[in-house]
Amino acid sequence: MTPPLSFFEIVWLARWPLLYGLGTTVAISALAILGGTVLGTGLGLALTYGNRAMRGIARVYTDVIRGTPVLVLVLASFYILGTVGLDLSAFQAGVLALTLFCASHVGEITRGALQTLHKGQTEAAKAIGLTFGQTFRYVLGPQALRLALPPLINTAAEMVKASTLLSVIGVAELLLRTQEVISRAFHSLEFYLLAGLLYFLVNFAIERLGRYVERRVSLA
Amino acid sequence: MTANLLEIRDLRKSYGPVEVLKGVDCDVRAGEVISIIGSSGSGKTTILRCVNMLEEFEGGTIRIDGEEIGYSTAGGQRKRKAEKEIARQRALTGMAFQQFNLFPHMTALENVTLGLTLVRRMGREEARALGETWLDRVGLLQRKDYYPAKLSGGQQQRVAIARAIAMSPRLMLFDEVTSALDPELVAEVLQVVRSLADDGMTMLLVTHEMRFAYEVSSRVIFMNGGRIGEEGNPREMFAAPKTERLAAFLQSSRFN
Amino acid sequence: MGYTLNFDAVWRNFDNLLWGLGLSLTLAVVAIGIGCALGLILAFGRISRSRLLSVPSGAYVTLFRNLPLLVIVLFSFFALPQLGLRLSKANSFVLALALYSAAYLAEVFRGGLLGLPKGLREAGLAIGLTEGQIRRRLVLPVMLRAVLPALGSTFIGLFKDTSLAAAIAVPELTFEARKINVETFRVIETWIVASGLYIATCAILAALLRRLEARLAVSR
């Protein structure tokens, strides 16, 4: 009989699965944030400057996505895409769901930031003869970005947290890897604490980075 | 000569390194109306706030009817009184603020009755009746169920005065009660203050309304750099200021 | 593809979905109740001048805002028994959601406390109220009215978060939906109805909150 392994010995033995899990978590979050930001910015522009039809479609999209729990989006994406014959992996279906979710948030943030800007800004830009494109590029965009930065960073941290939901559809990100290790080696308390610590560190880093960037671009 | 209702002796107060009151003495007899004037930063408002213990002060004493306010001195040791005791003493004076400070979640009447029920321990009905009497007195009985946000600045200030006076304080403190008001609303508030003065209410008012101070005050105190620069009968003081400072101050602010 | 929509199977199980929805709402209500009490204590702690109170309160908020809810949920159910605290599935979920929400509610309340009109406390002092009376009669009611919109959106968020209880097999709406999905294979119909229920409930809650706000508005 060998003596039972200590927690730290198990962590060492399981270091590669756990690190792959962490890497997967980061990859999921990064892809969702990236895709969500691109899609969401378009959504925000449609919500603010679109014609009636565009605004209507964008509004329905954001309201539906924001009214649905992320886990339901993840499950629906996973099960429905398979049913309609789109052969996506769990990873792809999960990332798609998080991207759609992220886009709805970024869309609202973009709209909020653009609408907060004083009407006088557009008028002043028009008065010196800028086109709409130029107005957006040089006047509105930079100001809106500064306003939107804090909530955007907040959204990024939310996406990291939401990435854990992909464990439910079997994507081997950090949380699922942790559960797998626990199922073989017990120590659930210590391993959940470890996972919690890793998530905390990732999010804390995002938060710090966000504050730093915010200070750098601040006009005050 | 009647005993002093309010007695301030050598009042000293600093904000960090800045000394705002450098030893103020002042006696107020019952029924007196005293206006404190002076440029901003001269310490006028701070005196009122010390009397109501909204500010701590480091030196001197304040007495109302002989009772020491805020601190007790025993065996050379100066100690802040217990919070409950200070709350009771605060209710000896009523205060009206520049920004009215009505409780935004209560109707005009509820604003007036809160102190009556909680501090004066009156029954609901009695408090209500008294509150209505005072709202009537300031001309706002019809507005008793309005929330502050639905009242004009002048109306809010009148409610605030009713709230203070309903507590039957020994002394009323008015802290620039018209400074935050639009010009056309000033008169209705001054009218209320004047009628209280006519009733013999003892009051101490900080004001920028020189004409009003001239008309209602039995005495005027001119604050200058944390000290009393000059004090006396408004007629004499305004007609013939003894100090250069007061002359300059009156010059710059007379009747505007 | 050849998939034709057929809601029969979903309607047959509709009662289960409604019971699940009821449980979701119950979980959210109990959690926000506990979360508010804890959040209020944390908020007063954070604005306290004593570092002994402000530092731990701040640490709690930072920690729980940066942890994924699912990690807290799994920890509460699987790891707490190791510390001798064995709760039922529903109770352990409520505990997790309450601890999580307290961090967000603390921020909401702190904002409310810092945004109180400056003269409110002084006006109370001036008529002779004690600190305790001022807190109960003035600070709390004015603050709660001011934060009501934020409180409402937090509650709607928590309601959506109850979907995570499905991960530990609490039979709330998402769990019931997944069960129907797996048992009947009416995948698309199931998720349309489930997310429809979430969206409708969120919309109804939002409308109720708007009415409540209008009734309690300080500016009547």
Side-chain angles (χ1 to χ4, degrees), chain C residues 138-171:
Chain C
L138 306 180
V139 169
L140 278 182
V142 174
M143 185 270 277
L144 285 177
R145 278 172 175 77
V147 302
L148 199 62
L151 219 52
S153 47
T154 306
F155 178 71
I156 292 175
L158 289 184
F159 164 65
K160 288 188 283 175
D161 285 338
T162 57
S163 60
L164 268 59
I168 55 171
V170 176

Side-chain angles (χ1 to χ4, degrees), chain A residues 149-166:
Chain A
L149 213 53
L152 281 177
I153 287 150
N154 204 14
T155 303
E158 288 302 319
M159 297 318 296
V160 175
K161 292 202 259 172
S163 72
T164 55
L165 302 181
L166 270 55

Side-chain angles (χ1 to χ4, degrees), chain B residues 86-106:
Chain B
I86 289 179
R88 185 189 65 77
Q89 291 188 327
R90 280 193 182 110
L92 292 173
T93 55
M95 183 150 183
F97 301 86
Q98 185 176 348
Q99 299 294 344
F100 336 132
N101 295 351
L102 286 184
F103 307 133
H105 60 308
M106 295 180 179

Side-chain angles (χ1 to χ4, degrees), chain B residues 6-67:
Chain B
L6 173 69
E7 227 177 65
I8 300 176
R9 286 285 170 275
D10 195 30
L11 180 62
R12 287 167 190 279
K13 159 86 192 163
S14 308
Y15 291 109
V18 186
E19 201 177 15
V20 284
L21 294 178
K22 302 172 180 168
V24 172
D25 293 271
C26 173
D27 290 333
V28 181
R29 273 163 296 149
E32 268 195 302
V33 174
I34 297 186
S35 295
I36 307 177
I37 60 173
S39 50
S40 55
S42 61
K44 305 170 305 229
T45 291
T46 311
I47 298 180
L48 296 198
R49 293 174 61 82
C50 287
V51 171
N52 211 357
M53 276 303 283
L54 292 177
E55 301 284 351
E56 317 236 318
F57 49 96
E58 293 85 42
T61 56
I62 297 174
R63 286 170 194 280
I64 293 176
D65 289 327
E67 181 184 334

Side-chain angles (χ1 to χ4, degrees), chain B residues 190-249:
Chain B
L190 292 185
Q191 174 52 38
V192 167
V193 178
R194 188 190 304 264
S195 83
L196 293 174
D198 291 344
D199 280 4
M201 185 78 217
T202 314
M203 46 206 207
L204 210 53
L205 38 109
V206 168
T207 184
H208 291 299
E209 301 283 336
M210 289 305 141
R211 182 182 288 279
F212 183 72
Y214 181 82
E215 286 169 6
V216 322
S217 318
S218 47
R219 190 148 48 102
V220 171
I221 292 175
F222 170 62
M223 288 296 293
N224 181 24
R227 292 195 175 85
I228 294 181
E230 201 168 318
E231 99 176 85
N233 173 310
R235 266 157 257 284
E236 291 161 16
M237 260 176 84
F238 281 39
K242 293 194 198 75
T243 59
E244 197 85 358
R245 288 284 191 161
L246 178 57
F249 175 74

